[in-house]
Amino acid sequence: MKQSPAQNPLSPETFAAEAGVSRETLDRLRIYAAQLVKWTKAINLVAPNTLPDLWRRHFLDSAQLYPLAADAPGPWLDLGSGAGFPGLVIAAMGRQVTLIESDIRKATFLRETARQMDVPAIVRAERIEAVEPASLAVPAVISARALASLAELLDLAAPFMGPDTLLLFPKGRQAEDELTLARESWTIDHVEMIPSRSDPAGRIIRLKGLCRK
C-alpha cells in the first residue's frame, strides 16, 4: 500500500478516535504494536518501512472492516493471516476470529500475541487448502488481506462459506480489474467497492452470494 507523502504518522489516540474503539481495545492494540515491533526484528511479519505509521497502515486498515460486518454477527474466519491483519485487530475489537496461517513462526507470533492481548482468537497453523471445512463453524465473515488475487481468494473461501457468509477483502488500485477477472468464473449476487479509509487508492471489496459458473 502506498502512503501519501503528505500524511503524518497516525498516533494511537488518533487511530482510536477514527476507528471508534474503546480504551480497552486500544490497550490491547498497544500490546499488539509492541509485539509486532519486537518480532519483526526476527521474522518477516511486515515491511519495516511501514512500522513508523503502523497505526494507519496496519491497524486502521484492518479496523475499518469491523463496521462493514455489523450485519453479519457470528464467527469470523481470516485466511492467510500473516502478521494478524485484519484478523487479530478484529479479535481485539471483540469478534470471535479463527486465523489460518501456514507459516509456523508467524502462527507462533499470532498465538503468543493473542494470549498477551487476551482476545477471542484461535490460530490454525495449516495451509488453507488443508483445513477441513467441517472442523470449523460456518463463518459469518471471511476476510483476507494481501494474500492473493480476488479470483484466487474466492477459490480459497468457497469451501468454508455458507449461503449468508459475507466476504471482505481489502484491495489496492487494481480492485476493479480483479473483480472483472473474478466474474469470469463466479456469479456474485451482491458486491460493493468501498473506499479505504487508510489508503486513498485502496478499495474494500464487500460481497455476498457466490456461485461458480
Side-chain angles (χ1 to χ4, degrees):
M1 182 196 309
K2 292 185 178 180
Q3 179 187 9
S4 166
Q7 285 181 314
N8 292 318
L10 202 66
S11 70
E13 293 76 18
T14 303
F15 158 82
E18 291 200 16
V21 302
S22 67
R23 180 179 297 276
E24 291 75 17
T25 295
L26 182 60
D27 288 344
R28 289 191 285 268
L29 291 174
R30 288 182 188 276
I31 294 170
Y32 189 177
Q35 285 284 98
L36 190 67
V37 171
K38 174 184 175 181
W39 282 66
T40 296
K41 295 175 182 177
I43 63 176
N44 183 28
L45 290 171
V46 297
N49 65 358
T50 67
L51 290 176
D53 197 15
L54 66 88
W55 288 93
R56 184 194 321 275
R57 300 285 295 274
H58 300 300
F59 289 155
L60 182 61
D61 195 57
S62 298
Q64 66 181 325
L65 301 189
Y66 186 89
L68 300 182
D71 60 349
W76 189 305
L77 177 63
D78 191 45
L79 303 177
S81 299
F85 303 113
L88 209 51
V89 174
I90 298 301
M93 297 173 77
R95 294 287 294 256
Q96 173 67 56
V97 183
T98 297
L99 302 97
I100 300 177
E101 172 52 51
S102 63
D103 185 297
I104 298 299
R105 294 185 303 168
K106 291 179 181 178
T108 300
F109 163 78
L110 293 173
R111 288 194 181 107
E112 175 59 19
T113 302
R115 184 190 67 79
Q116 291 198 23
M117 294 167 67
D118 191 23
V119 295
I122 297 169
V123 179
R124 299 279 294 262
E126 303 172 63
R127 294 178 63 250
I128 298 166
E129 301 89 338
V131 175
E132 176 55 51
S135 69
L136 300 172
V138 175
V141 184
I142 297 176
S143 62
R145 177 181 184 256
L147 177 63
S149 71
L150 180 60
E152 293 171 306
L153 289 174
L154 297 184
D155 285 337
L156 291 170
F160 302 101
M161 291 180 62
D164 298 318
T165 299
L166 172 67
L167 304 179
L168 291 173
F169 300 131
K171 287 290 179 182
R173 62 181 70 247
Q174 302 300 319
E176 292 281 1
D177 293 338
E178 290 193 31
L179 179 59
T180 298
L181 184 60
R183 278 180 157 151
E184 294 179 3
S185 301
W186 296 91
T187 298
I188 303 169
D189 289 344
H190 177 81
V191 62
E192 295 175 76
M193 303 288 282
I194 301 167
S196 171
R197 295 172 58 196
S198 60
D199 173 17
R203 296 291 182 270
I204 299 164
I205 300 179
R206 184 182 190 273
L207 57 87
K208 292 184 76 170
L210 206 61
C211 181
R212 195 183 295 274
K213 291 184 177 179

